[in-house]
Amino acid sequence: MSDLIVHLTAPNGRKYQQPIGLFINNEFVKSKSEGKITTINPSDESEITSVYSASASDVDIAVAAARTAFQSSTWRDLPPTNRGGLLLKLADLIDAHAQTLATIEAWDNGKPYQVALTEDVALSAGCLRYYAGYADKLHGQVIDTSPAKFAYTIREPLGVCGQIIPWNYPLLMASWKLGPALACGNTVVIKAAEQTPLSILYFATLVKEAGFPPGVVNILNGLGSDCGAAIASHLDVDKIAFTGSTATGRTIMKMASVNLKNITLETGGKSPLLVFGDADLEQAAKWAHIGIMHNMGQVCTATSRVLVHESIYDAFVSLFQENVKNISKVGDPFAEDTFQGPQVTKAQYERVLSYIESGKSEGATLLTGGEPYKNVGDGKGFFIAPTIFTNVKDHMKIYREEVFGPFVVISSFTSEEEAIQRANDTTYGLGSALFTRDLTRAHRVARRIEAGMVWINSSNDSDTHIPFGGVKQSGIGRELGEAGLAAYTNLKAVHVNLGTRL
């Protein structure tokens, strides 16, 4: 076991034991190939540690463990209230280990420690508690057809669920998927993002401590092209839930079709934010700043296309720029005043920089930022200055494609109809936001925007209780809220003949 745990000291001085194996059947094991993935601290580009990387043979073992657990009376016949109790215990353990989990997220991912602690970790525990409450409230119904038939429905778990989580919110996205899956009685094989595997591996120790039976939750590290593909195409996996890019989502969908898996996809976005002439400009600018700059702009629902009525365009741009200047402090994730840490990887850092060059070459106006930020530590790390482009045209690459960084485009419109048309002129349909004091307009525009979510006079203030998901090429199905349970149950109809004779 000693070679499956490493003793680490994080940049904030916190010492802890980091698992580096695959978590299968409540034990950490080496991968069959013993190959490893190295995880990098994006703040200074140094190596943190290496974790074992799963291949198809390891996926087979994990799926078999999950299938055995699903069919075992230990899990299958566990009273639903007791299932909920395990989730509550797991949530309590997250709270007890909150500082360590937040430290790992900040170190491995680059997000500010205070954000990881008060948002990611706290919301993860909250999500598990929310679904714990649903575990014994999954009801079917009796359907009255005639005195000769007694008919009813049962909500049943799907079976073995493959879950693939992204690197931008490792722990939180895991909780979004594990909560409803476990509350409904499924078993899980979850793949950590290869860029940020550390927090979910530490979380695995809490799964065992909470008392979940072996095989109910299995956690694998591995490359998407190897481990992820093996999960998506596995014939004994009943469901796939994936959060990530639209391109990868298409590939996952094709692979999952091999046995017509139940599928939930939450993919990319290029979400619009509309500011009408009667909006509270100060509030609109503040929310627009949060909507794109939070989490280093690495948010699938980031409102990265800001459309402002021409009558207030200059005033809005000035206020937005002022918010960036006053709030978007770029720095060490462990510094208390840091708002923006580094991009998660060198590849993501270079991707954002390439879009900056594209914006300049296409003729947009670079208002601020647009360059690497080197005033942190010794100048290393994947930091980018918050970037604002104005005078952006709809045909430009920076207007149409998801950048996934601290990068916003701001354009003007002349009429409500134009704003709606341009907001909908995209292959994506995840989030959207609009600002107006006119309640009638707010509801009218919200109905016409082609997106799974619309925020009125706010941006990106999602909530565990409210369904989350997109339309068009931003995904299939919903997570969170009561709607999130539907993705993890089958509805079985039972017909009882009370007298019809042939």
Side-chain angles (χ1 to χ4, degrees):
M1 186 67 177
S2 61
D3 55 351
L4 293 167
I5 300 286
V6 294
H7 296 266
L8 296 178
T9 302
N12 63 351
R14 180 167 286 271
K15 300 178 186 294
Y16 77 101
Q17 296 183 35
Q18 174 66 56
I20 60 170
L22 314 178
F23 185 72
I24 301 174
N25 259 333
N26 276 7
E27 300 294 340
F28 288 101
V29 297
K30 296 179 181 179
S31 58
K32 290 299 179 182
S33 68
E34 298 195 11
K36 289 185 176 181
I37 297 172
T38 298
T39 184
I40 302 296
N41 175 3
S43 294
D44 64 8
E45 305 176 45
S46 64
E47 179 179 326
I48 300 175
T49 190
S50 295
V51 300
Y52 284 98
S53 178
S55 62
S57 60
D58 301 296
V59 171
D60 287 341
I61 296 168
V63 170
R67 179 62 63 188
T68 298
F70 181 71
Q71 295 172 340
S72 169
S73 60
T74 305
W75 180 248
R76 182 193 64 215
D77 298 337
L78 187 68
T81 302
N82 293 13
R83 282 204 308 270
L86 290 174
L87 283 168
L88 289 173
K89 176 64 174 174
L90 184 55
D92 288 344
L93 287 168
I94 289 176
D95 285 342
H97 292 257
Q99 292 182 337
T100 299
L101 287 166
T103 294
I104 300 170
E105 290 280 76
W107 194 11
D108 198 24
N109 173 278
K111 65 180 61 194
Y113 171 80
Q114 289 299 326
V115 172
L117 181 65
T118 60
E119 296 182 21
D120 295 49
V121 175
L123 290 172
S124 296
C127 182
L128 295 182
R129 288 194 178 95
Y130 175 79
Y131 283 111
Y134 265 114
D136 56 4
K137 300 172 187 67
L138 300 171
H139 305 307
Q141 60 181 160
V142 173
I143 302 170
D144 188 9
T145 60
S146 77
K149 174 177 284 192
F150 175 59
Y152 62 95
T153 60
I154 306 170
R155 284 280 179 190
E156 295 186 329
L158 298 174
V160 176
C161 299
Q163 301 179 328
I164 301 173
I165 59 174
W167 46 256
N168 57 336
Y169 288 97
L171 192 62
L172 186 57
M173 293 299 99
S175 73
W176 282 22
K177 290 172 171 55
L178 285 170
L182 298 175
C184 294
N186 298 281
T187 58
V188 171
V189 177
I190 190 166
K191 189 194 94 66
E194 55 261 39
Q195 300 88 346
T196 56
L198 300 185
S199 62
I200 190 69
L201 289 177
Y202 187 88
F203 170 83
T205 66
L206 308 184
V207 169
K208 183 175 182 178
E209 185 177 347
F212 283 90
V216 171
V217 178
N218 305 276
I219 299 173
L220 305 180
N221 320 302
L223 300 176
S225 57
D226 193 356
C227 178
I231 294 172
S233 61
H234 204 287
L235 293 176
D236 204 26
V237 170
D238 302 296
K239 190 229 170 39
I240 286 290
F242 166 80
T243 297
S245 73
T246 295
T248 303
R250 291 192 198 100
T251 302
I252 293 286
M253 196 172 183
K254 290 177 183 177
M255 292 177 174
S257 69
V258 67
N259 60 338
L260 295 182
K261 291 178 178 67
N262 180 305
I263 190 164
T264 302
L265 301 175
E266 194 267 283
T267 52
K270 189 72 174 178
S271 300
L273 184 148
L274 313 181
V275 185
F276 289 94
D278 65 339
D280 181 329
L281 265 190
E282 184 176 337
Q283 283 297 303
K286 287 180 177 179
W287 278 106
H289 171 261
I290 292 294
I292 178 58
M293 297 300 176
H294 185 66
N295 204 51
M296 293 73 73
Q298 297 169 155
V299 183
C300 53
T301 52
T303 39
S304 55
R305 286 186 299 143
V306 178
L307 303 175
V308 185
H309 191 268
E310 60 183 1
S311 64
I312 56 169
Y313 181 80
D314 290 340
F316 174 87
V317 170
S318 179
L319 281 171
F320 186 90
Q321 188 176 11
E322 192 67 20
N323 276 298
V324 170
K325 178 182 177 181
N326 294 336
I327 300 172
S328 286
K329 169 70 164 61
V330 182
D332 178 357
F334 290 102
E336 288 190 10
D337 61 345
T338 292
F339 176 88
Q340 179 186 317
Q343 306 311 119
V344 70
T345 61
K346 184 177 182 181
Q348 189 61 25
Y349 168 81
E350 292 177 344
R351 172 186 170 88
V352 177
L353 292 177
S354 74
Y355 276 101
I356 290 169
E357 292 307 309
S358 174
K360 291 190 291 187
S361 67
E362 287 190 301
T365 301
L366 177 59
L367 185 64
T368 189
E371 60 188 3
Y373 188 90
K374 295 299 183 182
N375 296 327
V376 181
D378 60 3
K380 292 185 177 180
F382 309 129
F383 298 91
I384 293 178
T387 298
I388 305 170
F389 274 100
T390 57
N391 299 316
V392 178
K393 306 303 180 185
D394 295 18
H395 68 273
M396 292 180 178
K397 186 177 178 180
I398 60 172
Y399 181 89
R400 307 205 67 82
E401 297 185 10
E402 183 176 38
V403 177
F404 226 60
F407 185 116
V408 67
V409 299
I410 308 177
S411 184
S412 63
F413 65 86
T414 59
S415 68
E416 179 181 310
E417 191 62 32
E418 179 197 343
I420 293 169
Q421 184 276 322
R422 292 175 64 195
N424 291 337
D425 182 22
T426 174
T427 58
Y428 297 113
L430 191 52
S432 61
L434 64 98
F435 288 81
T436 179
R437 288 188 172 98
D438 184 335
L439 191 60
T440 301
R441 170 190 279 154
H443 289 290
R444 180 174 66 237
V445 174
R447 289 179 67 89
R448 292 191 59 194
I449 290 180
E450 297 167 356
M453 296 165 286
V454 181
W455 289 283
I456 297 175
N457 294 327
S458 68
S459 178
N460 277 272
D461 57 336
S462 299
D463 190 289
T464 303
H465 307 78
I466 303 171
F468 184 103
V471 299
K472 297 197 276 193
Q473 292 188 40
S474 285
I476 297 171
R478 293 294 179 267
E479 295 185 307
L480 298 184
E482 186 177 3
L485 297 163
Y488 290 97
T489 59
N490 282 322
L491 187 63
K492 177 183 283 184
V494 180
H495 303 250
V496 183
N497 186 345
L498 298 180
T500 302
R501 300 181 64 81
L502 301 178

